Amino acid sequence: MASENKIINKTNSESPSFGGVGGGFVSTRNSCKLCAPLGASMVFKGIEGCVPLIHGSQGCATYIRRYMISHFKEPVDIASSNFSEETTIYGGSRNFITGINNIIKQYKPQVIGIASTCLSETIGEDIPGHIYNYLEANEGETRTLPTFIHSSTPSYCGSHAEGFHNTVLATVKTLAEYQKKNDHITLLPGMVSPADLRYLKDLLADFDIKATVFPDYSETLDNEYTSEYQLIPTGGTPIYEIKRMGNSKAVIEFGTTFNKGVSRAKDKGALQTAGEWLESTYYIKNHQMPLPIGITATDRFVSALKEITGKELPEQHRKERGRLVDAYIDAHKYVFGKKALLYGEDDFVAALADWCKEIGIEPYYFKSTDFETLREEAESIKPDMLLGNSKGYYIARERKIPLVRVGFPIHDRFGANRMHHLGYRGTQELFDRVVNALIEYKQENSPIGYKYL
Ligand code: SF4
């Protein structure tokens, strides 16, 4: 087994500086980060009956829709308050009201999730104030007004991952209440695939555990065919379930890197995760842990479920674990000692790195970098494979090595929403893909060729 992962802790602050006040401005080349309201939109898509509204220019909503449609291959309706030059100078309150009225008229949503953008934050839009004024102006209305959730997501304060986490936190803070303790648990899975969400729900059902999984876009972003267009797709975590989170017996939250050591350390509130907030507000124990990729990490998740409920791992899942151990033994010779270059969201990459160590692959990854830096580092590392999203494809192509596509976004393959990474079952699928990519590479590059292993 490889003993150490190679975490190359190079941040963008070490990239060449291009001046600016105090010399603090840096440039990235082909950035790994996506935009913060994109992460917010994914969370809003995981709430039942919710329509996301991007408070800013139309291009922001178009970019987000394009990225999500290309990855999920589903229609993704995202509204925009459509800022113009005039709005930028005089403020966006009028556009906000028009946008909200149009959404209510066209979609009749239960929830409107409002994410800010670089522009609306820079000009100091008071979105909570807009919501307050809208509700006050519509007091006594006979029509039922939706619930409003606001998430502050300027992209210069973080990536899509921060946007995602901040919106989970904003939603929980807005809706969760305490009434009476009950025996259900809250699972906050982070930014995972629809297939992963379905797996987690199946596992919890097999354990016979009552749980709220939030956000749940397992249907909204990977839905069945319907002959009529659904303005708001079915699925998503119901509002009443988010509300009752304050009554939970326990919280399980995947991800351990968000908010640790980031530059906003001054603002303690912004640094809390939703699980930490539930713990500090409602005294519910938050079991925070890495994403369950691999046997060790999944065992930890399963142990937490057993500890909380006193129940044993269901037989079919115990067998899945056993088959995974067997596969590790069978394929060890193909993976041992290989080098993998990893990239993606910090929590996801941290979990992948631990998994690589578990199977004998040496993981290399960078913190907060861009693809050109990654490309340069690949020159010295000489990895055997890349593990990450589609955006690193050109590095794999240039180096003529396999890219195993995982995470988000995957724009050059089909079925990204059905890619599975979590638990014993997801790890098995991931392991098979990694092993086969290495075997295929060896076979393709063999001078004699072979067709039998
Ligand atoms: S301007 Fe900001 S919010 Fe809009 S798409 Fe660009 S990074 Fe995202």
Side-chain angles (χ1 to χ4, degrees):
M1 294 267 170
S3 56
E4 280 286 307
N5 58 315
K6 310 291 188 289
I7 305 165
I8 301 165
N9 193 3
K10 180 174 278 192
T11 64
N12 285 334
S13 59
E14 291 165 318
S15 301
S17 171
F18 290 91
V21 181
F25 296 159
V26 294
S27 163
T28 56
R29 298 158 299 163
N30 198 1
S31 169
C32 293
K33 292 182 172 182
L34 306 176
C35 117
L38 188 154
S41 301
M42 276 177 79
V43 175
F44 289 143
K45 283 285 171 190
I47 301 173
E48 188 179 56
C50 181
V51 173
L53 167 67
I54 305 297
H55 190 50
S57 312
Q58 223 174 50
C60 302
T62 306
Y63 155 74
I64 291 166
R65 289 181 59 241
R66 182 203 166 277
Y67 252 71
M68 289 177 67
I69 291 168
S70 176
H71 178 88
F72 293 107
K73 308 281 189 286
E74 289 286 339
V76 178
D77 283 17
I78 292 176
S80 163
S81 52
N82 194 16
F83 273 39
S84 63
E85 292 97 326
E86 194 192 322
T87 331
T88 308
I89 295 163
Y90 296 109
S93 60
R94 247 183 27 205
N95 287 41
F96 181 86
I97 294 165
T98 311
I100 295 289
N101 282 337
N102 283 341
I103 295 171
I104 293 174
K105 197 168 149 202
Q106 290 175 37
Y107 291 87
K108 301 183 180 52
Q110 291 178 54
V111 183
I112 299 181
I114 304 148
S116 58
T117 61
C118 302
L119 174 58
S120 54
E121 289 284 349
T122 303
I123 65 171
E125 278 293 294
D126 177 12
I127 297 176
H130 291 342
I131 296 172
Y132 180 85
N133 291 339
Y134 185 88
L135 290 172
E136 199 178 47
N138 288 280
E139 225 179 351
E141 270 275 341
T142 43
R143 61 183 176 160
T144 315
L145 290 176
T147 300
F148 293 98
I149 299 165
H150 161 235
S151 180
S152 172
T153 48
S155 281
Y156 43 74
C157 282
S159 69
H160 58 301
E162 272 84 22
F164 187 99
H165 285 292
N166 286 340
T167 306
V168 173
L169 176 63
T171 307
V172 172
K173 274 185 170 180
T174 307
L175 296 175
E177 298 166 352
Y178 174 74
Q179 279 142 358
K180 189 170 172 255
K181 271 269 173 283
N182 64 33
D183 62 351
H184 78 270
I185 69 162
T186 291
L187 175 59
L188 304 168
M191 198 171 153
V192 299
S193 77
D196 287 325
L197 290 171
R198 285 192 287 270
Y199 165 77
L200 291 170
K201 290 197 294 182
D202 286 350
L203 175 68
L204 292 164
D206 292 343
F207 250 105
D208 197 20
I209 296 172
K210 287 184 214 130
T212 294
V213 177
F214 174 70
D216 177 9
Y217 41 81
S218 61
E219 268 190 64
T220 55
L221 293 175
D222 191 18
N223 223 326
E224 61 180 330
Y225 168 78
T226 52
S227 55
E228 275 186 31
Y229 185 71
Q230 295 182 333
L231 278 175
I232 300 179
T234 53
T237 313
I239 302 287
Y240 76 86
E241 286 200 20
I242 305 173
K243 281 191 174 171
R244 71 174 188 190
M245 275 181 187
N247 305 333
S248 307
K249 185 177 180 183
V251 177
I252 296 181
E253 183 174 49
F254 295 155
T256 53
T257 67
F258 173 66
N259 77 22
K260 304 289 183 290
V262 293
S263 57
R264 287 170 296 147
K266 298 177 240 105
D267 184 357
K268 285 283 175 203
L271 283 170
Q272 258 189 339
T273 64
E276 288 162 359
W277 184 84
L278 284 166
E279 187 166 65
S280 61
T281 309
Y282 295 119
Y283 308 105
I284 307 164
K285 184 168 170 46
N286 180 30
H287 300 254
Q288 200 176 61
M289 62 187 70
L291 282 157
I293 301 176
I295 292 175
T296 312
T298 307
D299 282 353
R300 185 170 168 183
F301 171 44
V302 166
S303 291
L305 291 176
K306 287 200 231 173
E307 184 195 316
I308 295 164
T309 63
K311 293 176 180 171
E312 282 306 309
L313 178 68
E315 181 66 0
Q316 68 268 38
H317 295 277
R318 191 193 61 73
K319 287 193 169 176
E320 281 179 3
R321 185 187 189 282
R323 280 194 290 271
L324 180 58
V325 173
D326 188 52
Y328 277 12
I329 296 165
D330 292 343
H332 191 58
K333 59 190 172 190
Y334 304 116
V335 295
F336 180 77
K338 297 286 189 234
K339 293 191 244 176
L341 189 55
L342 319 177
Y343 55 90
E345 295 84 38
D346 288 347
D347 276 326
F348 188 55
V349 167
L352 282 177
D354 284 344
W355 174 62
C356 281
K357 284 192 277 178
E358 182 174 278
I359 60 173
I361 288 181
E362 284 183 49
Y364 291 76
Y365 66 97
F366 299 80
K367 283 188 185 291
S368 311
T369 189
D370 58 25
F371 280 102
E372 278 305 294
T373 310
L374 208 64
R375 180 171 165 259
E376 286 162 10
E377 296 296 342
E379 207 48 49
S380 56
I381 295 164
K382 301 200 177 3
D384 298 290
M385 67 188 307
L386 261 59
L387 214 48
N389 55 55
S390 295
K391 285 164 69 77
Y393 170 64
Y394 77 107
I395 302 172
R397 182 183 164 92
E398 186 177 83
R399 302 200 62 77
K400 298 186 171 52
I401 55 172
L403 162 63
V404 174
R405 287 162 180 78
V406 288
F408 179 92
I410 295 174
H411 290 160
D412 62 346
R413 284 293 182 276
F414 184 70
N417 33 9
R418 290 175 290 281
M419 280 182 190
H420 189 186
H421 316 82
L422 302 188
Y424 305 124
R425 200 183 300 165
T427 305
Q428 181 74 73
E429 288 180 26
L430 197 54
F431 186 64
D432 291 347
R433 290 174 62 209
V434 165
V435 172
N436 282 327
L438 290 168
I439 290 174
E440 189 179 336
Y441 173 79
K442 195 172 169 191
Q443 189 179 35
E444 293 285 312
N445 291 284
S446 161
I448 50 167
Y450 58 90
K451 51 188 177 178
Y452 192 84
L453 284 175

